[in-house]
Amino acid sequence: MSPALSSLPAHVDSRSLVSSLLGDNPYFQAGFGLMGVGVGLSVFRQAMIFSTVALRRRMLVSLEISNKDPAYDWFLAWMAHRTANANTGSAAAPWLRSHQLSVQTSHEQRKNGSSNALFKLVAGPGTHWMRFRKAWIQVKRERETRSQQLMSGIPWETVTLTTLSRDRNVFSELLREARDMAVVAQEGKLVIQIPWGLEWKPFGLPRRKRPLKSVVLAEGASERIEEDVKAFLRRRQWYVDRGIPYRRGYLLHGPPGSGKSSFIQALAGSLSYDLCLLNLSERGLADDKLIHLLSNTPERSFVLIEDVDAAFNKRVQTSEDGYQSSVTFSGFLNALDGVASGEERVIFLTTNHPERLDPALVRPGRVDLSVLLDDATPEQARRLFVRFYGGGGEDGAWEHIDPQTIEKMGREVEEVVKREMKLGKRVSMAALQGMFIRSTTAEAVQGIRTLFMPK
């Protein structure tokens, strides 16, 4: 101890010493002391921040999901499902107590044809907490309203999940559960997709698959198209080995109401394929965008372009209101089989007037199989009648009639169609189906003559 300090009286405590040193020190009063204290506190603050960040990085793990990723929609649907369960008193959904909620509206289609709107509450933009597999997870949903996706105009969104590092495995389990729930929701159903900007997006809810045999075509037509599509799907390696572009085009032509679109929809469902609808008259659709869409079609999907004759009549595309699209005929041909066109693609074209189509469009390589789906034949009318009225014990049937009587009445319908066709008249399958839906067997047999029109 220094002589100066040792000479201090014993009753002077350390607090008085510090006070005298700091309070009477001219350098401290000049600001150097306060600056030193400030620097010390700043260093301490930075050390605490660094320690907190390091501790957070070591103990926490985060998972970011953007709305560009398919898992984003899966996760939101999974959240909505858990919310619905919470409303019924089963699994808990802690974000229901949040003040930041979003609503998801879906339409439920019943078997009897009626529908109902369902509203599900999910966590909106903000910070929420949830518990999954005994692990607490922070759910932070952020929406960037100042910047939007270029083509679709949808705001950028992200969902960030944060949990303890020891519980990082729950992320994989959560995503698997969300994916499996999405797969189950689409199982046995047909997904319709439409262009949304430069991407394909599902349109509405998945629909129940229509049985292929429910679309009654002329004898052998359905089997011919189905076998050709199946053969193409089986021969991918054959195309690759020979350097042939792996794509195929179909043209279904015939009068309105002959079942062209219905058959394509049923065929896609029977093969568990999605159906991508493309309207060439859509505003904003240009050659480059068309090539991009056809080159990036979703896996296991058919592309359907309806009424292609109306889109390109005399090589000019004009909509009903006089608007001329920016898609050119040459651009459409290049999108089908040009250098920049995609592969692993099946395209269906439909038209009511094949004679209006340019020969450059229907040549092999662009249209590989052309099939006529004409007005109802006598045999078609009989099969459609038997299908509608057979099995009279089903719920909602007009009447119960034994199979033998149904077959007999079906032959009567067949004879009526034969006689009318000899007189130069025609009837569409859509007209027959409309009558069979609203009529009893006797009314159908008697009233079928009123449906015929001159050719």
Side-chain angles (χ1 to χ4, degrees):
M1 182 177 296
S2 65
L5 293 178
S6 61
S7 63
L8 291 174
H11 65 273
V12 177
D13 57 13
S14 60
R15 287 178 296 181
S16 300
L17 177 61
V18 172
S19 177
S20 61
L21 290 175
L22 297 181
D24 300 333
N25 193 319
Y27 297 103
F28 189 89
Q29 291 179 349
F32 292 104
L34 293 177
M35 182 178 65
V37 173
V39 170
L41 292 176
S42 178
V43 171
F44 178 75
R45 180 174 178 272
Q46 293 297 325
M48 290 296 295
I49 294 176
F50 178 80
S51 301
T52 302
V53 172
L55 186 64
R56 179 183 177 87
R57 289 179 177 176
R58 186 175 183 85
M59 298 187 62
L60 301 179
V61 60
S62 297
L63 172 68
E64 182 182 82
I65 310 173
S66 72
N67 59 347
K68 295 282 291 182
D69 193 282
Y72 183 85
D73 293 328
W74 297 348
F75 178 74
L76 292 185
W78 178 82
M79 293 175 67
H81 178 72
R82 285 174 62 89
T83 304
N85 288 339
N87 292 337
T88 58
S90 55
W95 55 78
L96 281 177
R97 295 190 293 269
S98 173
H99 296 283
Q100 298 168 307
L101 301 175
S102 292
V103 62
Q104 281 191 341
T105 305
S106 60
H107 290 84
E108 178 187 18
Q109 191 74 27
R110 301 189 181 94
K111 293 183 178 180
N112 60 3
S114 63
S115 61
N116 183 35
L118 303 176
F119 304 98
K120 300 177 182 179
L121 297 180
V122 298
T127 303
H128 316 269
W129 292 88
M130 58 177 288
R131 189 172 175 84
F132 177 76
R133 298 284 194 272
K134 299 182 179 180
W136 283 102
I137 301 176
Q138 182 193 67
V139 181
K140 189 174 183 180
R141 185 176 178 183
E142 297 177 299
R143 177 180 300 160
E144 181 55 61
T145 57
R146 290 175 295 180
S147 63
Q148 299 178 344
Q149 299 182 34
L150 181 61
M151 297 299 297
S152 64
I154 300 176
W156 292 101
E157 285 194 13
T158 59
V159 171
T160 304
L161 310 180
T162 304
T163 188
L164 294 175
S165 181
R166 68 180 186 185
D167 297 325
R168 65 173 58 231
N169 292 333
V170 300
F171 290 155
S172 300
E173 297 177 15
L174 187 153
L175 293 177
R176 279 196 298 267
E177 185 174 306
R179 178 204 60 196
D180 294 343
M181 192 185 74
V183 171
V184 170
Q186 296 181 2
E187 187 175 356
K189 296 182 180 180
L190 174 67
V191 177
I192 305 293
Q193 304 207 40
I194 61 173
W196 193 266
L198 291 175
E199 300 178 351
W200 294 95
K201 291 290 186 180
F203 177 72
L205 297 177
R207 306 180 182 185
R208 291 192 302 273
K209 293 181 180 179
R210 180 173 181 175
L212 189 59
K213 61 182 180 180
S214 68
V215 184
V216 181
L217 302 182
E219 190 70 31
S222 175
E223 293 77 10
R224 180 187 178 191
I225 303 171
E226 182 183 8
E227 287 303 320
D228 190 274
V229 172
K230 289 182 177 179
F232 169 75
L233 298 179
R234 290 193 302 262
R235 301 174 68 190
R236 182 182 185 280
Q237 192 59 43
W238 186 90
Y239 278 78
V240 173
D241 294 341
R242 287 156 180 79
I244 304 174
Y246 185 59
R247 50 179 177 257
R248 197 157 181 83
Y250 297 87
L251 174 65
L252 304 187
H253 59 94
S258 57
K260 299 182 291 294
S261 301
S262 298
F263 175 77
I264 297 170
Q265 177 180 340
L267 180 62
S270 68
L271 297 176
S272 298
Y273 268 56
D274 293 350
L275 191 59
C276 298
L277 304 181
L278 183 59
N279 180 13
L280 296 178
S281 300
E282 178 184 350
R283 294 178 183 270
L285 185 62
D287 290 348
D288 54 349
K289 181 179 177 181
L290 177 63
I291 292 176
H292 179 85
L293 289 171
L294 292 183
S295 300
N296 294 274
T297 55
E299 295 182 359
R300 297 186 63 84
S301 62
F302 294 158
V303 178
L304 173 58
I305 305 176
E306 297 186 280
D307 299 322
V308 69
D309 60 288
F312 293 106
N313 186 12
K314 303 300 182 183
R315 299 195 179 204
V316 176
Q317 181 189 4
T318 306
S319 61
E320 295 180 356
D321 59 357
Y323 168 78
Q324 185 167 338
S325 171
S326 56
V327 174
T328 64
F329 185 77
S330 61
F332 180 54
L333 297 183
N334 289 331
L336 291 179
D337 70 340
V339 175
S341 60
E343 296 194 16
E344 300 190 20
R345 186 188 65 205
V346 177
I347 291 184
F348 281 90
L349 308 176
T350 68
T351 178
N352 298 331
H353 304 282
E355 69 279 359
R356 299 179 183 176
L357 298 181
D358 195 292
L361 175 61
V362 296
R363 71 159 177 79
R366 291 170 181 156
V367 173
D368 301 291
L369 179 63
S370 178
V371 179
L372 169 63
L373 302 185
D374 211 341
D375 289 318
T377 65
E379 184 271 338
Q380 269 183 282
R382 179 187 59 80
R383 286 195 289 129
L384 185 66
F385 180 89
V386 172
R387 174 163 182 79
F388 261 80
Y389 296 105
E394 298 178 355
D395 293 339
W398 282 108
E399 50 198 335
H400 177 71
I401 302 178
D402 61 274
Q404 293 79 9
T405 303
I406 291 294
E407 288 291 341
K408 180 181 178 181
M409 300 179 76
R411 287 190 292 272
E412 293 181 25
V413 169
E414 184 176 5
E415 290 299 323
V416 171
V417 176
K418 285 182 180 179
R419 289 194 298 268
E420 296 293 332
M421 289 183 65
K422 289 180 180 179
L423 297 175
K425 297 181 179 181
R426 53 175 287 271
V427 64
S428 68
M429 291 295 291
L432 290 175
Q433 178 174 293
M435 169 165 280
F436 295 163
I437 288 175
R438 65 178 183 269
S439 306
T440 64
T441 53
E443 293 170 345
V445 174
Q446 294 297 323
I448 192 174
R449 294 176 177 84
T450 63
L451 301 178
F452 286 85
M453 301 175 59
K455 290 187 177 181

